[in-house]
Amino acid sequence: MLKAPRVDWVDTAKGICIVFVVMMHAVLGVEAAAGETGWMHAVIAFAAPFRMPDFFLISGLFLANVITRDWKLYLDRKVVHFAYFYVLWMTIQFAVKAPVFAGEMGWAGAFQFYLVSFFQPFGTLWFIYMLPIFFVVCKLAHDKGVPWQVMLGIAALLQIAPIHTGWLLVDEFASRFVYFYAGYIFAPKIFELAEWARDRVSLSLALLLIWGVINGGLVFIGWSELPLVSLALGAAGAGAIILTSALIVKAGSMDFLRHFGANSIVIYLAFFFPMGLTRVILLKLDILDIGTVSLIVNIVAVIAPVILLWVIQKTGIGWFLFKRPEWAYLGGTYGRKTAPQAAE
């Protein structure tokens, strides 16, 4: 089984998204620890309407290529694959934070919290917890012949509805599924949009400028999270990232974003530790303003997992962190020799 060739602008778009995702955690973590707000806060506020919508839309782009697979192979690659990395990295994160949890709720309470994390997504890992659920829902709808218009309509209504149960699984499904499903359904049009942008640079730049003003303005006046407005900004922002990525690739610059995107889940899984360590060190030094500290923490948190992956590839030590071992497959051949890493 051959691996599908990577698409440059898709990886670039994923790279932009993962930088913004890590940025949010880095900035909010620094600000919470310092008890004050820095200049980077305005950047994460601007990115909030489109950061996760675009990440989920991109995740659904290639679903049409695999949705007709038999259930065993599909579950192996789209459920067990992500479940392995969720359980592994949830356990790693929990082990690092266990003393803090134990201090707050006792060791028995900390262990109970660990068990609850199998049902209530833990910390920063909720994205890879949700992906298998989205994949299963899409395949069930496909196999049952549910019209895509009906599915998209339901998904849009869920996003618009004020669903805030406190259960992350329910709330994030309602809020994000529409973007994932749109990526799956409209993939051909999205690829056409990227090609359109490459052929119309000036017009694309003008559209991005208009979008930036509208997005920033609605965030500034506090309307970006309103029903319908949130959905529209998520869709428009996803389109803007697609245009931006296509233009970056055409210009032949910022190739580091493509590399980040090709390893986006590697970064997503492992950024928490370098982020926390860098934050503690810089705040103790107390020589930089909060915004600059946030920026440095963001940069280190994105680059460190990529370096870790490079070290693992060179040494062969710790490969299980980003690649499933033999026992973590449902069985059969299923392309184990070319099985994708966590970044797939």
Side-chain angles (χ1 to χ4, degrees):
M1 181 183 296
L2 298 176
K3 293 179 67 175
R6 305 203 68 93
V7 180
D8 49 10
W9 73 261
V10 172
D11 280 338
T12 300
K14 290 167 67 178
I16 294 171
C17 289
I18 194 61
V19 168
F20 276 127
V21 168
V22 175
M23 183 187 298
M24 178 195 69
H25 292 287
V27 172
L28 294 182
V30 169
E31 292 179 348
E36 59 181 289
T37 300
W39 56 267
M40 283 285 288
H41 194 87
V43 182
I44 65 169
F46 177 84
F50 61 86
R51 179 179 55 238
M52 293 312 297
D54 187 62
F55 217 172
F56 278 111
L57 182 138
I58 295 296
S59 298
L61 276 183
F62 299 101
L63 179 55
N65 296 341
V66 300
I67 201 166
T68 57
R69 287 175 174 173
D70 68 89
W71 269 100
K72 187 175 183 180
L73 175 57
Y74 189 83
L75 290 175
D76 178 71
R77 300 298 285 271
K78 298 304 182 184
V79 176
V80 178
H81 179 74
F82 290 104
Y84 168 79
F85 292 111
Y86 175 78
V87 173
L88 173 65
W89 282 91
M90 183 263 287
T91 302
I92 292 172
Q93 286 199 25
F94 195 89
V96 172
K97 299 176 182 179
V100 176
F101 296 149
E104 296 174 351
M105 59 187 77
W107 284 105
F111 181 66
Q112 183 180 18
F113 183 31
Y114 174 75
L115 295 179
V116 169
S117 297
F118 284 86
F119 306 97
Q120 173 81 316
F122 180 81
T124 61
L125 296 173
W126 69 269
F127 174 77
I128 62 167
Y129 190 101
M130 295 303 303
L131 279 180
I133 296 172
F134 288 174
F135 282 123
V136 169
V137 170
C138 286
K139 183 160 177 61
L140 285 171
H142 174 271
D143 288 357
K144 295 297 182 181
V146 181
W148 69 265
Q149 297 90 340
V150 173
M151 287 295 295
L152 188 64
I154 293 173
L157 289 175
L158 287 174
Q159 200 281 337
I160 295 169
I163 298 177
H164 305 290
T165 66
W167 186 13
L168 197 64
L169 180 63
V170 174
D171 295 348
E172 292 298 341
F173 183 94
S175 180
R176 312 298 186 184
F177 180 66
V178 64
Y179 303 110
F180 181 87
Y181 194 76
Y184 157 50
I185 292 298
F186 298 125
K189 295 297 182 183
I190 291 170
F191 280 95
E192 288 177 11
L193 176 63
E195 290 301 317
W196 180 91
R198 296 190 197 209
D199 296 335
R200 297 168 179 82
V201 175
S202 297
L203 180 55
S204 296
L205 290 173
L207 290 174
L208 286 172
L209 177 61
I210 294 170
W211 161 79
V213 171
I214 294 174
N215 184 85
L218 291 173
V219 169
F220 179 77
I221 64 177
W223 288 9
S224 61
E225 296 183 4
L226 294 176
L228 291 178
V229 176
S230 173
L231 178 60
L233 285 183
I241 295 299
I242 292 166
L243 293 182
T244 301
S245 302
L247 295 180
I248 288 174
V249 170
K250 181 179 177 65
S253 59
M254 303 177 73
D255 191 57
F256 64 90
L257 287 174
R258 182 196 58 78
H259 187 63
F260 289 162
N263 296 287
S264 59
I265 301 301
V266 168
I267 296 171
Y268 189 84
L269 291 171
F271 79 87
F272 79 98
F273 185 74
M275 178 185 71
L277 182 62
T278 308
R279 178 177 67 227
V280 170
I281 293 173
L282 291 180
L283 289 179
K284 282 188 177 296
L285 291 175
D286 194 24
I287 57 176
L288 299 169
D289 66 273
I290 297 303
T292 303
V293 168
S294 299
L295 177 60
I296 295 173
V297 170
N298 183 207
I299 293 171
V300 173
V302 170
I303 294 177
V306 178
I307 295 175
L308 173 61
L309 177 63
W310 179 81
V311 171
I312 290 172
Q313 290 172 335
K314 292 296 182 181
T315 64
I317 300 173
W319 55 269
F320 66 92
L321 292 172
F322 300 120
K323 189 173 183 179
R324 279 191 291 167
E326 288 286 318
W327 58 263
Y329 287 78
L330 286 181
T333 55
Y334 293 132
R336 290 186 186 184
K337 293 183 179 179
T338 55
Q341 294 184 331
E344 290 295 327

